[in-house]
Amino acid sequence: MSDLASTASQIYQSALSVIEAIEPRIANATRQELADQRASLKLIASENYASLPVLMTMGTWLSDKYAEGTVGHRFYAGCQNVDVVESVATEHARELFGAEYAYVQPHSGIDANLVAYWAILQHRIESPALAALGAKNVNDLSESDWETLRRSFNEQRVMGMSLDVGGHLTHGFRHNISGKMFHQKSYGTDPQTQLIDYDKLLADAREFKPLILVAGYSAYPRRVNFAKMREIADEVGATLFVDMAHFAGLVAGKVFTGEEDPIPYAHVVASTTHKSLRGPRGGFVLATQEYASSVDRGCPMVLGGPLSHVMAAKAVAFAEARRPEFATYASAVADNAKTLAEGLLRRGVQLVTGGTDNHLVLLDVGSFGLTGRQAESALLDSGIVTNRNSVPHDPNGAWYTTGVRIGTPP
Ligand code: DSN
């Protein structure tokens, strides 16, 4: 351990003794979490280990400040330090990803996706519909104008990857608000290869005519071609929204480049900061300038006051990800996943899509006569923390499942 890390660790231990004086159970659970993390092998694809600087940035006085609004335009006095924090975080996010605009207030991935959806709806509606209503922006609308817009929202369609084959709840799943706000249609994967079939996706999109095409996943072990996704979106007049929560670290670390980098192709991108990106728990949105003013309305439209201490930790994590060491880390994540997949295949394990080229491997444990839940428990007993996960068209349903998802970011 470096001198800095060792000092930081001692400071943390001292902080825990301060907590202990008030509520020892919390201090103990926190110490035990560290002990458990050190004693086990964490292979949950959506988790990671944030650095001490990131962790320590979250435990500061910035937590005490309310700061609704945007930089320089707050609804509370005394936000000068939060303005610095948010400006630095957005600057790092823009530079790290080469994005035109960044918004770092979302508290989580779902919040970030909701901000993105509302921003897209507002933007798409504002251009033609506001002009028709003789208004410049949504604040000029009367209640009856809103009623007209709400009716038109009902016609909005979203098309995202099915949860069944690795999509996320927020991509139109019927029990998530995204499946209620929108008319939705999911795209699946090819039944033989288990890969995205872009030709079929195009044909389905032509028929369904989504307003928003969502790309991204939480349990698909392959890369996505975002140039193709953008072509499909353009062909049907959709906005391309990419949820890169799982692979943001691979984008930041330049493992995903060219057509696998979503930023040059998507209109709006949302992400978490705590998965492969290795930051604090939270979310952010990137967008083209065209969508910027709509995304800026995330608070108060969807979000409460920003968590200033977490925005500060996001800034620190983005700064870490801009260092050359992060690219080395991101390459290792992808290399390790590939090596793990090859080892499993050699031992006769069935893998969804036959392998991986990102940060996760999805094992189909049905051939061992196990459910995903049994495999997850057996692995946990051996000190390996994973999560059970559905495989495409899983016969055991979402609770027991037939799969285990293993990820290499941590
Ligand atoms: N819970 C995350 C995951 O495990 O993939 C997605 O929100």
Side-chain angles (χ1 to χ4, degrees):
M1 201 187 269
S2 70
D3 286 351
L4 181 65
S6 150
T7 308
S9 180
Q10 282 164 21
I11 292 169
Y12 237 97
Q13 295 302 335
S14 308
L16 282 170
S17 55
V18 174
I19 296 165
E20 189 151 43
I22 306 294
E23 179 42 284
R25 289 173 297 178
I26 297 300
N28 287 341
T30 309
R31 282 201 191 95
Q32 192 55 45
E33 177 60 26
L34 178 61
D36 289 351
Q37 288 191 10
R38 288 185 172 163
S40 61
L41 177 62
K42 172 153 84 166
L43 292 176
I44 292 185
S46 51
E47 292 186 4
N48 216 325
Y49 301 106
S51 69
L52 270 169
V54 166
L55 293 177
M56 295 181 83
T57 308
M58 278 187 282
T60 74
W61 305 271
L62 285 164
S63 169
D64 297 337
K65 193 72 198 96
Y66 254 125
E68 269 103 328
T70 48
V71 174
H73 187 79
R74 306 280 185 190
F75 291 87
Y76 289 81
C79 293
Q80 59 282 0
N81 301 311
V82 181
D83 278 354
V84 172
V85 163
E86 187 166 352
S87 302
V88 173
T90 54
E91 175 196 299
H92 277 311
R94 284 194 310 273
E95 292 292 326
L96 176 62
F97 292 104
E100 289 176 17
Y101 164 82
Y103 183 68
V104 296
Q105 294 192 17
H107 310 156
S108 71
I110 287 196
D111 285 359
N113 287 1
L114 275 179
V115 169
Y117 282 136
W118 274 103
I120 294 168
L121 284 178
Q122 285 184 63
H123 178 76
R124 293 292 300 255
I125 283 158
E126 274 179 13
S127 321
L130 286 188
L133 292 165
K136 282 208 182 63
N137 70 55
V138 283
N139 296 333
D140 299 332
L141 297 179
S142 68
E143 257 318 300
S144 72
D145 291 338
W146 268 110
E147 187 54 31
T148 310
L149 290 182
R150 272 194 286 268
R151 275 197 214 115
S152 73
F153 283 176
N154 289 338
E155 303 305 323
Q156 309 311 340
R157 299 184 178 90
V158 73
M159 198 169 163
M161 184 183 248
S162 162
L163 189 66
D164 258 4
V165 300
H168 189 252
L169 295 168
T170 52
H171 300 176
F173 181 56
R174 65 188 181 287
H175 295 309
N176 179 265
I177 188 168
S178 59
K180 310 280 184 216
M181 259 164 75
F182 298 103
H183 290 296
Q184 71 84 29
K185 182 177 173 72
S186 300
Y187 55 87
T189 48
D190 180 89
Q192 254 72 53
T193 62
Q194 300 179 313
L195 300 172
I196 294 172
D197 178 344
Y198 294 96
D199 293 335
K200 169 132 185 20
L201 209 169
L202 173 61
D204 288 350
R206 276 192 182 128
E207 196 177 306
F208 185 64
K209 296 195 178 38
L211 180 82
I212 304 174
L213 177 63
V214 186
Y217 50 79
S218 56
Y220 178 69
R222 296 291 173 174
R223 301 182 186 193
V224 172
N225 185 317
F226 296 108
K228 281 191 184 159
M229 284 291 187
R230 177 60 186 260
E231 269 173 40
I232 296 170
D234 285 348
E235 166 98 21
V236 301
T239 295
L240 178 60
F241 165 46
V242 175
D243 176 352
M244 66 167 184
H246 257 265
F247 50 89
L250 300 184
V251 178
K254 308 282 180 262
V255 175
F256 290 2
T257 55
E259 298 188 344
E260 294 163 355
D261 175 357
I263 314 301
Y265 299 102
H267 298 93
V268 181
V269 175
S271 182
T272 52
T273 34
H274 51 272
K275 298 187 173 85
S276 53
L277 198 51
R278 226 172 55 181
R281 297 197 79 85
F284 64 102
V285 178
L286 306 173
T288 56
Q289 259 326 320
E290 192 192 359
Y291 284 82
S293 62
S294 302
V295 175
D296 260 347
R297 293 187 208 138
C299 168
M301 181 57 97
V302 175
L303 305 170
L307 310 177
S308 306
H309 55 310
V310 181
M311 289 198 298
K314 288 173 191 174
V316 172
F318 293 142
E320 287 180 342
R322 290 183 67 188
R323 295 179 165 200
E325 305 90 277
F326 192 85
T328 310
Y329 160 73
S331 301
V333 166
D335 290 348
N336 284 336
K338 199 166 187 321
T339 303
L340 177 64
E342 286 164 3
L344 290 165
L345 287 169
R346 271 201 306 279
R347 289 163 179 82
V349 182
Q350 219 174 312
L351 303 182
V352 171
T353 77
T356 180
D357 53 27
N358 57 18
H359 63 294
L360 70 91
V361 180
L362 189 54
L363 283 66
D364 184 333
V365 297
S367 61
F368 297 119
L370 294 172
T371 64
R373 194 155 189 254
Q374 289 168 325
E376 178 196 84
S377 295
L379 285 165
L380 189 61
D381 288 346
S382 327
I384 300 175
V385 192
T386 61
N387 71 283
R388 63 187 183 280
N389 207 102
S390 303
V391 298
H393 315 293
D394 200 307
N396 290 329
W399 180 252
Y400 291 104
T401 81
T402 310
V404 173
R405 188 183 66 167
I406 294 187
T408 49

